[in-house]
C-alpha cells in the first residue's frame, strides 16, 4: 500500500473524529479571510471617519484570531494523536521508523488543512460581501460593494495556514519521538487516580476556592471608587477569581461529590454511577481545561455584552451629554447665519436663548474644608432651561443640582451633601449641592461643571459674585432640529458656519463618530466571541469524545446485563449537563460582576443588550451539549 493510499484510508477511518475539527478549521480560516478582506478594502477604509485606526484595530483582532486558532488547533491535535496512539504504536511495533510515522501524520494533517484552507477561503470569499454590508450597516455608512476576491487577503490567509501547519508538524514530531511504546498503548486507558476520602485539608481548599471567588467579586466593586490603584485591583481580582475557579474544579467539586457519596454509603445507583462516579475520578484532570473554558466564557460574554451595550445605547448616551442638537456660546452673528441657512433649506427647528454664568469656586463637603477642590462652574436657571425644552427637576431656592453625564466615570458623583464656595458681596457665599443627575443641561463641549438652580437663586448669585475676573456672563443660542431625517443636513449647515478652531461639534456628528467607534468594536467582539465559543465548545466536545471511547467497554457490559439505551443515557445526560453547565454557570456569574464594573462606562440601561448577548451565547454553547449527547448515544447504541 502506497503512502498516499494509507493516508486517505486513515482519514476515512477517522472521519467521525475529524468532522468537527475540520469544520472548526474552515470556520476559523473563513473568519480570518473575511477580516483580511475588510482590512484591505479601500472603499471601507476611506469611508470610515472614526477616531479609531480602522486598519490597526483589525490587524490586532486578526493577530488575536491567529493566536486563538493556533492554540485550539494544537489542543485538538494533541487529543487526536492521543486517540490514535495505539495505531502509532502498531506502526512502530511492525518495524516502521518514527520518522515514517511522523511523516504520515504530518501529511494527513497537511491534506486536511489544505482542504480546510480551500473551502474556508471559498466560503470567506462568498460571505465577505455579506459581512461587508453588515459592517457598513453597523457603522451607519452607505456604499455600493461588489463581490470581489482580495489577493492580499488570500496571501495573508495562506501565511497563517503555513504557520498553523508548521506548529502542528512540530507538535506531531515531538509527540512521536518522545513517546515510548508503552506510553502509546496505554494513552487511551490512562485515567485520573481516584479522589481520596475527604480530609480537613481538602475541605479547607474547597472552601478556599469559594472564598477566593467571593473575594474577587468584592474587590471588583471597589474598582470604580479607587481609580488611583485601578491596575493593582484589576490584577488582584483576576488572580483571585482565576485561582478560585481552579480550586473549585480541582478540589471543591470533588469534595462535594465525595460528601454526597459518603452520605449515601456508596450506594449511588445506576444513574449516579454513570454521572457522579466518572466526575469524581476525572474532575481533577479536567481542572485546567474547565478553568480555561470558564475564564474564556466569562471573557467572551463580558466582551460581547459590553461592546453591544455601548453600541446599543450610543444615541441615548450621546443625547445625555448633548441635550441640544447644536449650541453656540456668545456667538450671535453665527447663530443668526445658522438660523437663516436652516430656514433657506426649509429645515424645521427650535431656537432658544439661554443665559448662564461661568464662575470660579471651590467644591467642599458640608461642615468641613478638608477636601476642597477648585473648579470652574456653569450656572443655569431651571426656568430658562425648561423653556428651552428640557425635562428636568426644579431645585429649591438656595439649592443646586449638579448635572454631569460623566460624573460616575470621573468619580464626581455627589455621595454626601456638598457645597460650592465662591466670592460674594453678601453673607450668602455658598451654594448647597446635595444631588446629581447623570445628564447634562448644556452640551458637554462648553467648559465648566454644570449647576442648575432656581431663577431667584440665579439672579441673586449673578449680582453677588465678586471679582469680575472670576465670573463671566454668557449667552447660549441652542437649536433642536424637529425632523430627525434632516439632522444630517442641519449638521452640515452648523459646521460650515462656525470657526473650526473652536472645536465645536453637534449631536449628529458626535453620534456618528460614536456609532462608528462602537460599531467597529461590536463587529470585532462578535467575531472573536464566535471563535472563543467555538474553541471552548470544541475543547469540551473533544474531551467528551475521548471519554466516550474510553468508557465504551463499560457500556457494552451494561448492555449485556440487559440495561436499555434509554436507561444508560439518563445517567450520561446528567453527566454532560454537569460538565457543560457548571463552567457556563460560573462563567456567567464572573461576567455579571465584570459587567457591573463596566457599567460605569454607560449611562443608559445595559439590561437588554446583556440579556440578548447572554442568551445568544447560551444557545450556541448548548448546541455542543446536544452534539455530545448524540455522540454518546451512538457509542452506547453501537456498544453491542
Amino acid at each position: 500500500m502506497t503512502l498516499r493510499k494509507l493516508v486517505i484510508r486513515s482519514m476515512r477511518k477517522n472521519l467521525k473524529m475529524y468532522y468537527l475539527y475540520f469544520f472548526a478549521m474552515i470556520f476559523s480560516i473563513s473568519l480570518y479571510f473575511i477580516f483580511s478582506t475588510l482590512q484591505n478594502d479601500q472603499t471601507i477604509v476611506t469611508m470610515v471617519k472614526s477616531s479609531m485606526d480602522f486598519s490597526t484595530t483589525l490587524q490586532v483582532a486578526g493577530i488575536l484570531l491567529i493566536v486563538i486558532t493556533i492554540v485550539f488547533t494544537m489542543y485538538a491535535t494533541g487529543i487526536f494523536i492521543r486517540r490514535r496512539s495505539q495505531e502509532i504504536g502498531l506502526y512502530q511495533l511492525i518495524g516502521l521508523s518514527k520518522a515514517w510515522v511522523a511523516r504520515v501524520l504530518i501529511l494527513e494533517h497537511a491534506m486536511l488543512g489544505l482542504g480546510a484552507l480551500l473551502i474556508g477561503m471559498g466560503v470567506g470569499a462568498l460571505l465577505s460581501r455579506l459581512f461587508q454590508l453588515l459592517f457598513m450597516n453597523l457603522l451607519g455608512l452607505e456604499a455600493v460593494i461588489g463581490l470581489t476576491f482580495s489577493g492580499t487577503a488570500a496571501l495573508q490567509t495562506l501565511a497563517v495556514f503555513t504557520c498553523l501547519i508548521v506548529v502542528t508538524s512540530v507538535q506531531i514530531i515531538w509527540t512521536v519521538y518522545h513517546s515510548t511504546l508503552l506510553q502509546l498503548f496505554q494513552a487511551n486507558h490512562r485515567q485520573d487516580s481516584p479522589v481520596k476520602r475527604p480530609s480537613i485539608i481538602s475541605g479547607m481548599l474547597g472552601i478556599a476556592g469559594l472564598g477566593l471567588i467571593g473575594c474577587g467579586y468584592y474587590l471588583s466593586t471597589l474598582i470604580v471608587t479607587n481609580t488611583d490603584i485601578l491596575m493593582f485591583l484589576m490584577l488582584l481580582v483576576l488572580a483571585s477569581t482565576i485561582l478560585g475557579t481552579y480550586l473549585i474544579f480541582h478540589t471543591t467539586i470533588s469534595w462535594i461529590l465525595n460528601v454526597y457519596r459518603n452520605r449515601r454509603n456508596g450506594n449511588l445507583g445506576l444513574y449516579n454511577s454513570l454521572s457522579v462516579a466518572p466526575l469524581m475520578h476525572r474532575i481533577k484532570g479536567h481542572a485546567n481545561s474547565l478553568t480555561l473554558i470558564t475564564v474564556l466564557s466569562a471573557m467572551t460574554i463580558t466582551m460581547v455584552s459590553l461592546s453591544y451595550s455601548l453600541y446599543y445605547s450610543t444615541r441615548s448616551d450621546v443625547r445625555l451629554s448633548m441635550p441640544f442638537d447644536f449650541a453656540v456660546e456668545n456667538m450671535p452673528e453665527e447663530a443668526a447665519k445658522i438660523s437663516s441657512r436652516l430656514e433657506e433649506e426649509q429645515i424645521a427647528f427650535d431656537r432658544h436663548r439661554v443665559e448662564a454664568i461661568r464662575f470660579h469656586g471651590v467644591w467642599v463637603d458640608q461642615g468641613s474644608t478638608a477636601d476642597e477642590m477648585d473648579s470652574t462652574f456653569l450656572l443655569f436657571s431651571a426656568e430658562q432651561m425648561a423653556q428651552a425644552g428640557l425635562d428636568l427637576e426644579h431645585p429649591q431656592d438656595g439649592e443646586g443640582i449638579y448635572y454631569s453625564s460623566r460624573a460616575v466615570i470621573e468619580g464626581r458623583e455627589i455621595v454626601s451633601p456638598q457645597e460650592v464656595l465662591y466670592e460674594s458681596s453678601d453673607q450668602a457665599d455658598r451654594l448647597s449641592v446635595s444631588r446629581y443627575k447623570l445628564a447634562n443641561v448644556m452640551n458637554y463641549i462648553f467648559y465648566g461643571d454644570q449647576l442648575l438652580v432656581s431663577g431667584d437663586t440665579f439672579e441673586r448669585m449673578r449680582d453677588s459674585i465678586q471679582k469680575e475676573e472670576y465670573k463671566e456672563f454668557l449667552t447660549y443660542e441652542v437649536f433642536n432640529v424637529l425632523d430627525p431625517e434632516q439632522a444630517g443636513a442641519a449638521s452640515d449647515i452648523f459646521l460650515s458656519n462656525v470657526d473650526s478652531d473652536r472645536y465645536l461639534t453637534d449631536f449628529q456628528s458626535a453620534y456618528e463618530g460614536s456609532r462608528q467607534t462602537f460599531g467597529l468594536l461590536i463587529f470585532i467582539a462578535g467575531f472573536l466571541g464566535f471563535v472563543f465559543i467555538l474553541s471552548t465548545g470544541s475543547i469540551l466536545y473533544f474531551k467528551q469524545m475521548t471519554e466516550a471511547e474510553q468508557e465504551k467497554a463499560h457500556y457494552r457490559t451494561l448492555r449485556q446485563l440487559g440495561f436499555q439505551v434509554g436507561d444508560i443515557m439518563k445517567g450520561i445526560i446528567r453527566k454532560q449537563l454537569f460538565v457543560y453547565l457548571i463552567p457556563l454557570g460560573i462563567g456567567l456569574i464572573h461576567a455579571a460582576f465584570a459587567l457591573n464594573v463596566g457599567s460605569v462606562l454607560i449611562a443608559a440601561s445595559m439590561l437588554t443588550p446583556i440579556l440578548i448577548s447572554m442568551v445568544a451565547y447560551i444557545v450556541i454553547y448548548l448546541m455542543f451539549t446536544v452534539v455530545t449527547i448524540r455522540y454518546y448515544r451512538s457509542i452506547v447504541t453501537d456498544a453491542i
Side-chain angles (χ1 to χ4, degrees), residues 323-324 354 380-395 401 403 435 437 439-442 450-454:
F324 302 104
V354 176
F380 296 94
S381 165
E383 286 78 3
Q384 288 190 28
M385 301 311 293
Q387 291 175 3
L390 296 187
D391 182 15
L392 41 78
E393 182 179 349
H394 288 254
I401 301 176
Y403 275 80
R435 290 171 295 164
K437 296 292 181 181
N440 286 353
V441 290
M442 180 55 67
Q450 299 179 11
L451 298 174
L452 187 71
V453 296
S454 65

Side-chain angles (χ1 to χ4, degrees), residues 594-608:
L595 288 169
N596 182 53
V597 177
S599 63
V600 300
L601 299 174
I602 305 171
S605 173
M606 295 172 59
L607 183 61
T608 300

